[in-house]
Amino acid sequence: MVFDIEMIKKLYAAYPKAIEGIRAELKRPLTLAEKILYVHLAQNESKLQNYERAVDYVNFQLDRVAMQDATAQMALLQLINSGRERVAVPSTVHCDHLIQAYQSASVDLPVAKETNKEVYGFLSSVANKFGIGFWKPGAGIIHQVVLENYAFPGGMMIGTDSHTPNAGGLGMIAIGVGGADAMDVMAGMSWELKMPKIIGVKLTGKLSGWASPKDVILKLAGILTVKGGTNAIIEYFGEGAAALSATGKATICNMGAEVGATTSIFPFDAKTEAYLCATGREEVANAAKAIADCLKADDEVIANPEKYYDRIIEINLSELEPYINGPFTPDAAYPISEFAKVVKEKKFPQKMEVGLIGSCTNSSYEDLTRAASVVKSAKEQGLSVNAQFIINPGSEQVYCTAKRDGLIEEFETVGAKIMANACGPCIGQWKRITDDNERPNSIVTSFNRNFAKRNDGNPNTHAFVASPELVAALTIAGDLTFNPMTDKLINDKGERVMLDEPKGFELPVKGYCVDDAGYVAPQVGQGNIEIDPNSNRLQLLKPFEAWNGEDYENLPLLIKVKGKCTTDHISMAGPWLKFRGHLDNISDNLLMGAVNAFNDKTNEVLADTKEYLKVSELARKYKSKGLGSIVIAEENYGEGSSREHAAMEPRFLNVKAIIVKSFARIHETNLKKQGMLALTFVNKEDYNKVREDDKFSILGLKTFAPGKNLTLKINHADGTTETVELAHTYNQTQINWFKAGSALNAMIKK
């Protein structure tokens, strides 16, 4: 089945003339990202202008929305309240997050279907009612399924998951958002985004040996850091880009989320065409070929990139080493040649205990073939596997094809467990059996994110990120310091042997195969949505209260956060995923992973009674008294997942403002959508002025306006006061969200 072909053809028919007009209006050549962005301008942005990057807010009309099951619950609960009868753009729900990895797919999938029966039933019913495509549990990971079925060159979509940019591997601008953004687009509204900067990454040369597409983004993460791509699109170009497979490009785009990028994108080329044809979309490939010049940067841009990109980074693929990144942050990047020394100097646990291949980043057919070739080489040379081995295929199509071609058997013969086609350990859905869940240990994954506690809940699990082939090699060695490019291993005959370089297939020689891909087309209007008021999994949403028109006075401090605070710290996943459709219940995990700056402990904050309580417990106590509170934090607050629960929970528990040194893009937007104040210190050193027993007033709200700073008055317990200046990035529309109590309230009112 070719989805949305008429929509794609209609869009492509308009592309050449639109690009010609944009180029004439702006009087300059265009990058690929600019072409797609300008073609997708909303009607109220029809007057073309040279929007200022990272400054101007712009509205877009999108082609598609995709939602994974954990975030879809809240997005659809908001859609139910929107007054719509049917979604305005093609939309899908993918059941990939709620399946726990424990024993194997054959055991875990039936358990997940029974455990999550209520939630799956709800999602399916809402999908039917509103005309949303539904991908059953076991069908695959959202981003791999989107790549195989929906992504197309020159399109523009949003998805309720931070790794939505995976579709950039096929030349689509695909952006991760919170559920409220998805709801807006499904409800027929345009979607707002600050016009991003564009970082140009020139790829030269060609990969060989142990180097893989994953190593491109692992190296780039070390260059840009976790916030270096904030408010920017990363656009790849050069002969090196054309040499990469489509799924390899998707891997690179996927993990662009780890540097804070709005999205990442590659131009349309022969590899893109080949993948579209291999996945049954030859009609899309031919239509794209007909407008190929529109689906790449203009020649003048490529010839003089420094004139058109905000920053240029060059990576020579011929010289690229395999990288391994971590632990605890995805931008701690080390080439494999230096990593053994780092392990010893930093005293990382040297024994490698588990190797995990999969996730939305690296679970394609090509990934499995390259990893399997390493396993095959080890077996042929009499080597055994010295660590636990776990595989998560990316989709049912990938699994069926890999099984037919002997790849699954190759993994199973060395004791690997084949888990369900789902996210599993990547998002904390891993029932790991261990002797001590706080023991320091090392694992290596082909995932994208490696924050503390993320995979198995153990704060001392040192999780490292690498390519699937390097994961396989390290799993065989069982030693974090092993370098397959230079080191030998002792086989069953006592001989010292080296692993062969990995080999793989970009596309299956015999083509893809699948018995049942897992797609269920909606029976529009047939869904009967019922939620048990006593359910602990699902809860209808009540509108948040509108702003009362007054400045906030004498708010107590909920927590002053020290150091990194991702959305995992704010709203943990793992066992908490089961409450993603129940705002009251999931709010019990509010900021439980954040470190209190005053005692260096987690989930222990000082109440006005001088006792220490859990963060959510204190917030509920203040709320019961009719009091709001504030959160103070440091840099890149809200890094990581797009989960809007990290914004909805503090809103639900009456937190009035989050005041930080800087925000991650998606989380800042999510806070705004829920009617909260997301504010930054003009002087970052003012963070140090905050004391544990302070009270805070936020002044200037009566004249809240774009570009106009607010004032924070700090009332110390000793009777002294200090005032500091607070900046914000709200435009007038977003200020209206705040005044209405949320973007949803404002939309319904309008």
Side-chain angles (χ1 to χ4, degrees), residues 668 678-680 704-710 726-731 735:
E668 181 181 20
L679 309 171
T680 57
F704 194 8
K708 184 177 181 181
N709 289 346
L710 300 171
L726 301 177
H728 66 84
T729 60
Y730 287 74
N731 59 26
I735 290 172

Side-chain angles (χ1 to χ4, degrees), residues 190-236:
S190 57
W191 181 67
E192 182 186 70
L193 176 72
K194 184 179 287 186
M195 184 62 79
K197 293 181 179 180
I198 306 176
I199 298 172
V201 177
K202 183 179 182 180
L203 301 180
T204 62
K206 189 174 182 179
L207 293 171
S208 62
W210 284 89
S212 75
K214 182 67 164 279
D215 300 309
V216 174
I217 188 59
L218 293 178
K219 178 181 176 69
L220 189 62
I223 295 170
L224 288 175
T225 76
V226 291
K227 64 175 185 174
T230 303
N231 290 324
I233 290 176
I234 301 175
E235 183 173 317
Y236 294 86

Side-chain angles (χ1 to χ4, degrees), residues 27-220:
K27 298 180 175 60
R28 60 175 173 80
L30 302 171
T31 68
L32 171 60
E34 287 178 312
K35 290 180 180 181
I36 301 174
L37 290 170
Y38 275 90
V39 164
H40 285 85
L41 287 173
Q43 289 299 313
N44 59 343
E45 302 286 0
S46 59
K47 182 180 179 182
L48 294 175
Q49 65 182 76
N50 203 352
Y51 293 104
E52 187 175 352
R53 296 175 185 174
V55 174
D56 291 334
Y57 282 96
V58 188
N59 289 296
F60 297 95
Q61 202 69 41
L62 305 183
D63 301 315
R64 162 165 295 284
V65 172
M67 298 164 281
Q68 41 97 332
D69 51 356
T71 51
Q73 295 171 64
M74 204 57 71
L76 296 181
L77 284 166
Q78 292 175 83
L79 181 65
I80 290 169
N81 288 348
S82 71
R84 288 287 302 193
E85 293 184 359
R86 184 170 183 172
V87 291
V89 301
S91 304
T92 50
V93 169
H94 304 259
C95 298
D96 63 355
H97 271 56
L98 299 178
I99 303 168
Q100 187 179 57
Y102 176 36
Q103 294 181 309
S104 68
S106 60
V107 176
D108 298 343
L109 188 55
V111 170
K113 289 179 178 178
E114 182 59 33
T115 302
N116 303 305
K117 184 177 181 180
E118 180 185 12
V119 172
Y120 292 149
F122 167 75
L123 295 174
S124 177
S125 296
V126 179
N128 270 334
K129 181 173 178 62
F130 288 95
I132 297 169
F134 183 74
W135 290 82
K136 296 183 292 186
I141 303 172
I142 177 173
H143 309 306
Q144 181 65 28
V145 173
V146 166
L147 196 74
E148 292 174 359
N149 295 277
Y150 299 112
F152 66 93
M156 188 170 177
M157 66 172 284
I158 57 172
T160 59
D161 190 280
S162 56
H163 294 102
T164 301
N166 192 77
L170 287 186
M172 189 175 203
I173 283 187
I175 301 174
V177 298
D181 280 341
M183 186 277 300
D184 284 351
V185 175
M186 289 188 292
M189 298 174 64
S190 57
W191 181 67
E192 182 186 70
L193 176 72
K194 184 179 287 186
M195 184 62 79
K197 293 181 179 180
I198 306 176
I199 298 172
V201 177
K202 183 179 182 180
L203 301 180
T204 62
K206 189 174 182 179
L207 293 171
S208 62
W210 284 89
S212 75
K214 182 67 164 279
D215 300 309
V216 174
I217 188 59
L218 293 178
K219 178 181 176 69
L220 189 62

Side-chain angles (χ1 to χ4, degrees), residues 478-619:
D479 187 336
L480 212 57
T481 65
F482 175 65
N483 180 353
M485 298 175 67
T486 58
D487 299 345
K488 295 182 178 180
L489 297 170
I490 299 174
N491 68 7
D492 54 6
K493 297 178 182 178
E495 301 167 332
R496 292 173 59 80
V497 297
M498 287 188 71
L499 292 170
D500 295 331
E501 291 181 349
K503 295 180 175 61
F505 297 93
E506 293 182 7
L507 300 168
V509 175
K510 299 178 184 178
Y512 286 104
C513 69
V514 65
D515 298 325
D516 177 7
Y519 175 71
V520 180
Q523 304 297 314
V524 182
Q526 298 302 306
N528 183 25
I529 303 170
E530 294 182 1
I531 295 178
D532 182 349
N534 297 315
S535 170
N536 71 346
R537 296 290 300 268
L538 296 166
Q539 179 188 51
L540 289 172
L541 292 175
K542 295 181 179 179
F544 293 128
E545 291 183 358
W547 175 56
N548 66 4
E550 301 294 329
D551 286 340
Y552 292 139
E553 299 280 357
N554 291 312
L555 301 175
L557 176 71
L558 182 60
I559 184 174
K560 179 180 178 180
V561 180
K562 176 182 177 181
K564 184 187 281 284
C565 192
T566 71
T567 49
D568 281 51
H569 294 85
I570 304 167
S571 176
M572 285 191 177
W576 291 93
L577 281 169
K578 64 184 177 182
F579 296 129
R580 284 284 182 88
H582 197 293
L583 184 54
D584 195 352
N585 283 348
I586 199 170
S587 292
D588 283 339
N589 77 5
L590 176 63
L591 285 158
M592 66 184 298
V595 176
N596 183 348
F598 298 110
N599 60 10
D600 288 331
K601 295 182 179 180
T602 58
N603 216 19
E604 190 172 305
V605 289
L606 184 67
D608 51 2
T609 55
K610 303 304 179 185
E611 61 183 326
Y612 283 91
L613 303 174
K614 295 178 180 179
V615 181
S616 61
E617 189 179 359
L618 180 57

Side-chain angles (χ1 to χ4, degrees), residues 195-327:
M195 184 62 79
K197 293 181 179 180
I198 306 176
I199 298 172
V201 177
K202 183 179 182 180
L203 301 180
T204 62
K206 189 174 182 179
L207 293 171
S208 62
W210 284 89
S212 75
K214 182 67 164 279
D215 300 309
V216 174
I217 188 59
L218 293 178
K219 178 181 176 69
L220 189 62
I223 295 170
L224 288 175
T225 76
V226 291
K227 64 175 185 174
T230 303
N231 290 324
I233 290 176
I234 301 175
E235 183 173 317
Y236 294 86
F237 64 97
E239 72 273 15
L244 297 172
S245 68
T247 52
K249 292 170 184 171
T251 289
I252 293 169
C253 292
N254 177 295
M255 207 175 152
E258 268 45 73
V259 298
T262 301
T263 194
S264 303
I265 192 167
F266 279 84
F268 175 79
D269 58 24
K271 300 283 190 180
T272 319
E273 179 187 354
Y275 185 79
L276 286 168
C277 292
T279 51
R281 292 174 287 168
E282 188 173 357
E283 200 171 357
V284 177
N286 291 336
K289 278 180 68 177
I291 60 162
D293 284 345
C294 297
L295 304 176
K296 64 182 183 66
D298 286 338
D299 292 340
E300 299 95 318
V301 172
I302 302 304
N304 300 286
E306 65 283 348
K307 292 176 60 176
Y308 303 103
Y309 294 108
D310 296 284
R311 180 179 178 181
I312 300 291
I313 298 170
E314 187 168 334
I315 296 175
N316 186 339
L317 302 183
S318 300
E319 299 174 355
L320 184 64
E321 271 190 70
Y323 268 70
I324 184 164
N325 289 25

